[in-house]
Amino acid sequence: MSDKSSALDALSTAEKAALLDELLAARPDLREPAEAYAAQVMTDADRSAVADDVEDALQGLGIEELNIRAGYRPGRGYVHPAEAADEILDEALQPFLDDLQRRAGLGMRSTAVELAAGVLLGLYNCRHGNSETLLEYSPDYAAERASGVVSDCARLGIELPTAELLDLMPEWSALLD
């Protein structure tokens, strides 16, 4: 390892998780501060940061991804570019939706509200599908997925900050009413 990098920096996420488990087993005195820090990390949610992350994840997918998924696929038949685009975009959005469901399931309601608002704002920022991104092939993607997020929130008992979101997302007022 060079002077600027460390062995810890070189570990994969799975290796870091295993290391933490081993460290906490060897040093039980670290469990309490680790639990406190984990609780802090789990309850922190910055709506703007989540919106930026969602937007980056969706806007960052180039159309070259379609070459792999669209067209004739053995065992599946013909896959329309719009269908392939939706699948790829869904894969990029899914970690945010999983995190929302996980935190709601853990009873972290205020965090879940901020995550949901961030996901909705990120989708709103993608509503006009820029050219040369997958969103260009699926012009209704953002609104359709936002509708799904609103439904998921209702199912999970997450009360969205509707008034705030209406100010930030005026073109989607019907979705939020």
Side-chain angles (χ1 to χ4, degrees):
M1 296 282 137
S2 72
D3 291 342
K4 294 188 180 200
S5 66
S6 72
L8 286 175
D9 294 334
L11 294 176
S12 70
T13 302
E15 291 168 329
K16 287 178 183 178
L19 176 74
L20 178 61
D21 287 343
E22 289 179 30
L23 183 62
L24 292 176
R27 295 276 314 272
D29 59 305
L30 295 176
R31 182 164 279 299
E32 188 175 325
E35 288 282 350
Y37 185 70
Q40 178 186 348
V41 167
M42 290 292 295
T43 57
D44 283 347
D46 179 348
R47 175 185 308 186
S48 296
V50 172
D52 290 344
D53 289 347
V54 167
E55 185 177 0
D56 290 347
L58 298 178
Q59 299 270 9
L61 298 168
I63 58 176
E64 63 276 352
E65 292 286 324
L66 288 179
N67 295 336
I68 300 167
R69 305 255 191 125
Y72 179 77
R73 296 290 166 239
R76 187 168 174 195
Y78 180 76
V79 178
H80 192 277
E83 181 184 353
D86 280 352
E87 290 174 4
I88 297 165
L89 290 163
D90 282 345
E91 289 169 9
L93 183 62
Q94 194 60 50
F96 299 99
L97 302 177
D98 291 346
D99 196 24
L100 173 64
Q101 186 160 350
R102 178 175 63 109
R103 295 193 197 204
L106 291 169
M108 299 176 169
R109 294 289 180 213
S110 63
T111 303
V113 167
E114 289 302 305
L115 279 169
V119 169
L120 288 170
L121 290 169
L123 287 167
Y124 187 76
N125 292 339
C126 294
R127 70 192 179 282
H128 296 303
N130 295 343
S131 64
E132 299 192 28
T133 72
L134 289 180
L135 292 163
E136 168 183 25
Y137 288 85
S138 189
D140 298 327
Y141 181 85
E144 289 171 358
R145 293 316 180 272
S147 178
V149 170
V150 170
S151 295
D152 288 349
C153 287
R155 182 179 49 78
L156 294 168
I158 298 169
E159 196 169 317
L160 292 169
T162 307
E164 290 175 50
L165 291 174
L166 284 170
D167 286 343
L168 297 168
M169 304 182 331
E171 292 178 33
W172 284 359
S173 60
L175 176 77
L176 296 167
D177 287 337

